[in-house]
Amino acid sequence: MDLILADRWKSAMLAIAAAGLGLGLALRFAGPSGWAEIVWIAGVIPVLLALLWEILRSLWRGEFGLDIVAALSMSAALVFGETLAAAVVALMYSGGTFLENFAEGRARREMSALLARVPRTATRHRDGTLEEVALDDILPGDLLLIRQGDVAPVDGVLASDHALLDKSALTGESMPVRLARGEDVLSGSSNSGDAFDLHVHRRAADSTYAGIVRLVEAAQASKAPMTRLADRYSLLFLVVTVALAVAAWWFTGDPIRAVAVLVVATPCPLILAVPVALVAGISRAAHFGVLIKGAKPLEALAQIHTLVLDKTGTLTDGRPQIVEIERVGVLSEEEILYFAAALEQASKHPMAQAIVAAAHTRGTSLPVPGDVIETAGDGLSGTVDGRHVVVGGKDFVRRMVGAPAKDVSTHALGSVLVSVAVDGVLAGDIVMADALREGTPQMIANLRRLGISRIVMATGDRRAVAEKVTDGLGLDAVRADLTPDQKVLLVLTERKHGPVMMVGDGVNDAPALAAADIGVAMGARGAAASAEAADVVILVDHLNRLLPGMEVAQRARGIALQSVVVGIGLSILGMIVAAFGYLTPVQGALLQELIDVAVILNALRALRIKPAV
């Protein structure tokens, strides 16, 4: 609501300034009359009062900006009767603040998406029946029914014989995990198998998922906002401006020269051109599938030297893929995939869907399976083309057909075997893993070229799997077995090397994304919570889109810096000319408008940035 009110207030100030200047000019051209001066004053006063209020608020917060120069020029112009010059400055200033406010946007929104993932109600066992209860009514000791596809609303202990849980949103582990009776179930985990009972261990407010929400909120609150780019030069510029104005008045005795100096000094090129360049950069980055949530994140993105990467869904694809098909019997690889995929159509398991997708990718037409029986967490059996097929975990399938146990020690870490048997005979094994994204080594090299000097991987996965996946990538460090709060701590620790950018896609990454100087979320398939917490969202499922986003940010910031230098340089030159009496206040205001046009045209070059990567 505050942001909406701010937008409306700045729009109103711009409208008042524009109306005052326009109406006053119309009255002046209509003939000699004192009404033009009155209208100009009426248009300037509201803008000046609003400006003075903002200056007082900024000084109270310990901030110091170039707005003071604008206030001095408008005030001096009114005091010494240069009302037209004051009206022009008021329009320039109100237009600049309006554009800057537009550039900022709404970079932060409430974490409603994060909370929405957990159901507001749960199914509880009570006296032999089931009842729907509100989340806040769940107490330790209650017994809940978690149906297939449900998200565990609270932390608890598994009260059924087994359960198959997708914990990727919490730990980054891409493969569903099978739990046995008595093992812990974390809130935020999705049930990928059959329904199970959960013995409640903690209230909802004290559970893991609620803790992640609090981490995000705390991290966002602790991140200090960046100051405007132009304001960094404000103190020196103000000293030079006041010194020239006082000197011009002191040595000539003409206060109008001081007014002319102040009017020319009004830093509208900086107020206008800088946000224009940054907004243009934001628009250009969006063209390459990178959504940057405002001017401040773009400026920060251009200065990052340390990168923290999540593994699952970021460096890796985040979905199980077929790595290899190992034949055991007489069936070919295509036949093994055909029978497995046909039967797996009856399952919602992520690996089952990956096998079906792989068959479709190869153009295989799959028949409808019959007599399907699914053993939750183990596998399926059924008929395909009149033949009996069993697909599932290696131990389950071998037990069903009486085959010897499989030694998996020779397979890559992090891989999973899906065994296939046809007509009671073991046909082969489908090796599945969460594969590294294609082109990752080249992407890492390009990140180095763009100025990233330190790259660290942070994951909740096992260390052995993390090190295997990143082998040969040349990362500076690998941190594994991390909880969400440990990821936040890692980001804060890495700040000793400079500003930190964190890239992730899961709910477990959201706190670290919020804590980093720049948080980047994979928005195509990532959790909504991470997209909300992040400063930058990659809109397509390709991490290499980060490269053009960074290059656009760097070049847009460079153009903005050019605008600062050119704007200040031309303003100082105009101030000197005004101090010697060669510019009246109105002429100075018009000159400043010409300077505005020059630096804004330069800033718009950011719309034509063509990244090299």
Side-chain angles (χ1 to χ4, degrees), residues 368-455:
V368 178
D371 304 322
V372 178
I373 300 175
E374 182 169 3
T375 303
D378 286 327
L380 301 90
S381 63
T383 59
V384 176
D385 292 342
R387 305 180 71 173
H388 186 260
V389 179
V390 181
V391 179
K394 58 183 178 59
D395 294 333
F396 170 73
V397 174
R398 281 165 173 75
R399 186 169 62 251
M400 292 284 287
V401 301
K406 172 75 172 180
D407 181 12
V408 297
S409 60
T410 58
H411 289 89
L413 288 168
S415 63
V416 175
L417 290 185
V418 177
S419 297
V420 183
V422 180
D423 292 333
V425 178
L426 188 65
D429 297 303
I430 300 175
V431 183
M432 306 193 71
D434 185 12
L436 197 67
R437 288 180 182 269
E438 185 178 355
T440 297
Q442 182 61 41
M443 182 199 69
I444 296 294
N446 286 331
L447 286 170
R448 302 280 191 190
R449 185 181 63 79
L450 288 175
I452 301 295
S453 58
R454 180 172 173 81
I455 302 178

Side-chain angles (χ1 to χ4, degrees), residues 92-456:
M92 289 191 298
Y93 176 78
S94 58
T97 55
F98 176 83
L99 185 57
E100 183 184 38
N101 189 63
F102 174 79
E104 292 295 331
R106 293 170 177 82
R108 300 295 175 199
R109 293 179 296 192
E110 295 180 358
M111 294 301 297
S112 56
L114 180 60
L115 293 170
R117 188 174 181 273
V118 175
R120 299 301 180 189
T121 62
T123 305
R124 181 171 63 186
H125 290 275
R126 176 60 59 90
D127 300 327
T129 62
L130 295 174
E131 61 177 358
E132 290 293 319
V133 296
L135 206 60
D136 293 337
D137 294 334
I138 300 174
L139 301 173
D142 285 346
L143 187 66
L144 304 181
L145 174 66
I146 310 298
R147 295 161 296 194
Q148 187 178 53
D150 284 351
V151 176
V154 294
D155 292 343
V157 175
L158 183 62
S160 299
D161 291 334
H162 52 72
L164 190 67
L165 294 179
D166 178 3
K167 299 167 61 177
S168 59
L170 296 173
T171 66
E173 177 63 55
S174 60
M175 300 294 181
V177 177
R178 187 182 182 191
L179 301 182
R181 181 185 293 271
E183 292 192 72
D184 292 333
V185 176
L186 298 179
S187 58
S189 302
S190 299
N191 182 11
S192 297
D194 290 340
F196 65 86
D197 290 332
L198 176 68
H199 191 269
V200 177
H201 185 58
R202 295 189 184 95
R203 294 180 62 92
D206 302 323
S207 292
T208 301
Y209 206 75
I212 290 178
V213 175
R214 288 192 294 271
L215 281 170
V216 173
E217 293 172 343
Q220 285 183 328
S222 65
K223 185 192 292 187
M226 296 176 61
T227 57
R228 291 188 311 192
L229 182 63
D231 287 347
R232 298 173 191 173
Y233 306 91
S234 58
L235 183 58
L236 178 61
F237 190 82
L238 178 61
V239 170
V240 172
T241 299
V242 173
L244 277 174
V246 171
W249 190 355
W250 178 268
F251 289 107
T252 65
D254 183 4
I256 302 302
R257 291 198 183 188
V259 173
V261 169
L262 291 174
V263 168
V264 175
T266 301
C268 291
L270 311 184
I271 296 173
L272 285 169
V274 171
V276 165
L278 299 184
V279 169
I282 292 169
S283 300
R284 191 58 178 162
H287 178 76
F288 297 98
V290 181
L291 174 62
I292 302 175
K293 298 181 180 180
K296 291 177 184 176
L298 182 137
E299 186 186 355
L301 182 62
Q303 302 176 81
I304 292 296
H305 297 290
T306 299
L307 172 63
V308 178
L309 284 168
D310 176 47
K311 179 181 77 68
T312 305
T314 303
L315 274 180
T316 63
D317 186 66
R319 293 173 291 189
Q321 298 179 7
I322 295 177
V323 176
E324 183 182 5
I325 299 178
E326 298 179 344
R327 297 173 54 205
V328 174
V330 297
L331 294 182
S332 66
E333 292 184 7
E334 289 74 16
E335 289 172 319
I336 293 172
L337 179 60
Y338 171 81
F339 284 112
L343 185 58
E344 293 281 33
Q345 293 178 101
S347 175
K348 292 184 178 180
H349 193 285
M351 284 187 285
Q353 296 302 307
I355 291 174
V356 174
H360 285 156
T361 300
R362 300 187 186 191
T364 304
S365 179
L366 301 176
V368 178
D371 304 322
V372 178
I373 300 175
E374 182 169 3
T375 303
D378 286 327
L380 301 90
S381 63
T383 59
V384 176
D385 292 342
R387 305 180 71 173
H388 186 260
V389 179
V390 181
V391 179
K394 58 183 178 59
D395 294 333
F396 170 73
V397 174
R398 281 165 173 75
R399 186 169 62 251
M400 292 284 287
V401 301
K406 172 75 172 180
D407 181 12
V408 297
S409 60
T410 58
H411 289 89
L413 288 168
S415 63
V416 175
L417 290 185
V418 177
S419 297
V420 183
V422 180
D423 292 333
V425 178
L426 188 65
D429 297 303
I430 300 175
V431 183
M432 306 193 71
D434 185 12
L436 197 67
R437 288 180 182 269
E438 185 178 355
T440 297
Q442 182 61 41
M443 182 199 69
I444 296 294
N446 286 331
L447 286 170
R448 302 280 191 190
R449 185 181 63 79
L450 288 175
I452 301 295
S453 58
R454 180 172 173 81
I455 302 178
V456 179

